[in-house]
Amino acid sequence: MAKQLKIKKRRGTKKQNLYFGKGGHLAVMSELLLRGWNVAIPEVDVGDDIFVVRDKNGDLIKVQVKSSNVLRKNNDGSRVSQFNLRVSQLRKIGKAKLIYAFVVRYKNTWSDFILIDQEYLKGRFNKNKIGTASKGHLTLSLRIHGKKVLCKKENLDNFYGKWSEFPKITH
């Protein structure tokens, strides 16, 4: 087993965590805006972080952003980050598509964006192929090496930087 280099985990206050989470939201929103999509933050947060709209036809996609620092860096160069999400949200499929955006902060920059649609994640969760469930939450530990992403033994490479749900729009 490869040795792991520990990265000092900063224990922030709840207030600091709010700032960090909002930073992840804004990083995702910035990328979507640069792609020509209209974005909005709901006035009341009942689970969906960002509404993304294609102005031309009104198509709506909901985005749930989860932000994490790198928890540790392994000797092989891979980095591990951990994300928590509510199982109830994962299981509730609505009319509008839901995308989970897992955003990683490393060396003072938003380094990695992993975008996974709800239906895929729910399917892998139901088959016990991804994450660890406890007390109504699902914890995903993502191991990232370049553009390779693993969660347990589940290969998530196809979701690294997968902005294909949001193709560039010229106005």
Side-chain angles (χ1 to χ4, degrees):
M1 185 176 222
K3 285 186 178 179
Q4 298 170 349
L5 301 174
K6 298 274 182 173
I7 291 181
K8 187 176 180 181
K9 186 176 179 182
R10 294 181 188 160
R11 290 206 174 261
T13 63
K14 285 188 177 195
K15 187 174 181 181
Q16 187 62 36
N17 292 339
L18 292 173
Y19 282 87
F20 181 80
K22 183 58 78 174
H25 286 86
L26 294 174
V28 172
M29 290 176 71
S30 174
E31 181 62 30
L32 292 166
L33 287 166
L34 291 170
R35 292 174 164 276
W37 290 78
N38 201 345
V39 296
I41 299 172
E43 289 297 322
V44 178
D45 186 346
V46 291
D48 302 318
D49 293 327
I50 304 170
F51 294 146
V52 185
V53 179
R54 182 186 293 236
D55 290 327
K56 185 175 181 179
N57 59 11
D59 284 348
L60 171 72
I61 299 174
K62 300 182 298 180
V63 178
Q64 179 67 44
V65 180
K66 296 297 180 180
S67 307
S68 177
N69 281 303
V70 169
L71 296 179
R72 71 174 185 269
K73 184 175 177 185
N74 299 324
N75 283 343
D76 66 359
S78 64
R79 303 179 314 274
V80 177
S81 294
Q82 197 169 72
F83 303 88
N84 294 305
L85 52 124
R86 290 189 330 270
V87 171
S88 60
Q89 182 188 39
L90 179 62
R91 288 189 171 142
K92 185 180 177 184
I93 304 288
K95 291 180 182 177
K97 185 172 212 155
L98 174 63
I99 303 289
Y100 286 91
F102 301 101
V103 187
V104 178
R105 187 140 178 101
Y106 181 59
K107 292 188 175 180
N108 297 317
T109 190
W110 296 106
S111 59
D112 306 289
F113 294 83
I114 297 97
L115 292 97
I116 306 175
D117 63 86
Q118 177 188 23
E119 288 189 24
Y120 179 88
L121 201 56
K122 179 183 174 187
R124 302 318 290 160
F125 169 71
N126 287 340
K127 293 181 180 179
N128 198 26
K129 298 284 186 182
I130 197 163
T132 304
S134 176
K135 298 179 183 176
H137 287 85
L138 175 63
T139 300
L140 302 177
S141 292
L142 301 184
R143 182 176 176 205
I144 303 167
H145 192 257
K147 293 183 180 182
K148 304 248 182 232
V149 182
L150 284 175
C151 184
K152 284 191 175 181
K153 294 181 181 179
E154 185 74 16
N155 181 318
L156 300 174
D157 296 355
N158 291 337
F159 299 102
Y160 186 91
K162 184 184 177 197
W163 295 99
S164 57
E165 292 287 341
F166 308 101
K168 289 188 178 180
I169 301 169
T170 50
H171 295 276

